[in-house]
Amino acid sequence: AEWEIIRDWYDETDRTGHIGECVVPLISLLHGIVLGNGASRIVQLGTCSGYSALLIGFMLRRMNATHGLFTLEIGPHLCELSGRWLARAALNDFVKVAELNSLDPAAPARALDYLGGRPEIVIIDSSHEYGATLREIEVWYSTLEQGGIVLLHDVSIFATQFDVTKQGGVRRALDEWRRANPDSETFSLNGNARTMDLPRPFYKDACGVGLIHKPLA
């Protein structure tokens, strides 16, 4: 039944042009992190068309982790689209789509209120702009539970082109934050990838992924 929903989601988004699915390697990595560790409090910055919100919602439902994903999106149409599919999938008890800027001062408090505690995982996949991403890391790292993870998509050289400000994108933001916070455990996969052309590295996402682990006190 879940895969039927995903197939129908693809039919609609292919037809309307609302392309917004994250790549299979990334969602597979999230699958292992969420289900493998029983993560039940997750924040996502950038809902887009709702693909990853649906799949994470399915994971949370399998764990019976209600109020498990608070996902933020600034586009009202995308919020409506995602909300409609989440309702069809009967995931409203597990996922909340908020029409909210990730840098809104009220955003962390709203996330904590919905989740019932500090997030264990924060997924950053929003504007891809250097300046906004650097601020997102700073704001949401401080909101993160100790021992939690910030996961950033699009950290590769190839993905810097997604930054409309042309200032270095997520890659530069992560590099600068890492240098300023040497006590954190930070690494990236495929950070040096420059193209989506073959041959692909073992981790097949040429856009790359970064992980920041917030150490225990």
Side-chain angles (χ1 to χ4, degrees):
E2 292 174 352
W3 284 115
E4 181 179 351
I5 288 170
I6 294 298
R7 284 194 298 268
D8 291 346
W9 179 93
Y10 266 109
D11 287 343
E12 178 177 325
T13 55
D14 284 348
R15 185 175 64 254
T16 61
H18 289 104
I19 299 171
E21 67 272 23
C22 70
V23 293
V24 170
L26 177 60
I27 201 67
S28 299
L29 180 62
L30 280 168
H31 185 273
I33 292 173
V34 173
L35 287 177
N37 300 281
S40 59
R41 297 189 304 277
I42 304 167
V43 170
Q44 180 184 42
L45 313 184
T47 312
C48 200
S49 302
Y51 174 83
S52 53
L54 283 167
L55 292 177
I56 294 171
F58 293 152
M59 301 177 206
L60 293 167
R61 182 162 61 192
R62 288 178 181 271
M63 297 187 295
N64 196 31
T66 56
H67 283 219
L69 173 62
F70 187 80
T71 178
L72 293 74
E73 175 57 55
I74 60 173
H77 176 68
L78 292 173
C79 290
E80 185 279 328
L81 173 65
S82 300
R84 175 162 49 82
W85 279 100
L86 289 164
R88 175 176 167 178
L91 291 174
N92 286 343
D93 289 341
F94 302 91
V95 181
K96 170 67 176 178
V97 179
E99 186 182 335
L100 189 65
N101 190 303
S102 60
L103 293 172
D104 188 311
R110 287 187 57 182
L112 267 60
D113 180 65
Y114 177 79
L115 298 173
R118 291 181 176 271
E120 299 161 307
I121 302 171
V122 175
I123 304 163
I124 300 180
D125 193 10
S126 49
S127 73
H128 306 101
E129 296 175 5
Y130 153 71
T133 301
L134 183 58
R135 292 195 301 275
E136 285 175 335
I137 299 173
E138 292 168 347
V139 168
W140 290 98
Y141 182 85
S142 66
T143 307
L144 188 69
E145 180 175 89
Q146 288 182 339
I149 291 172
V150 177
L151 185 149
L152 301 99
H153 195 211
D154 301 308
V155 302
S156 71
I157 295 172
F158 166 75
T160 59
Q161 65 185 299
F162 303 154
D163 180 358
V164 297
T165 68
K166 306 301 181 185
Q167 295 186 56
V170 180
R171 177 182 176 82
R172 179 185 171 193
L174 178 60
D175 285 347
E176 289 189 5
W177 192 90
R178 177 166 31 202
R179 289 196 298 270
N181 297 270
D183 293 335
S184 68
E185 296 178 300
T186 307
F187 67 94
S188 59
L189 294 171
N190 294 356
N192 291 325
R194 298 174 180 271
T195 177
M196 292 188 72
D197 296 335
L198 296 175
R200 295 287 180 85
F202 174 76
Y203 178 72
K204 297 297 187 290
D205 180 12
C207 292
V209 62
L211 292 172
I212 302 172
H213 178 236
K214 187 173 185 177
L216 295 172

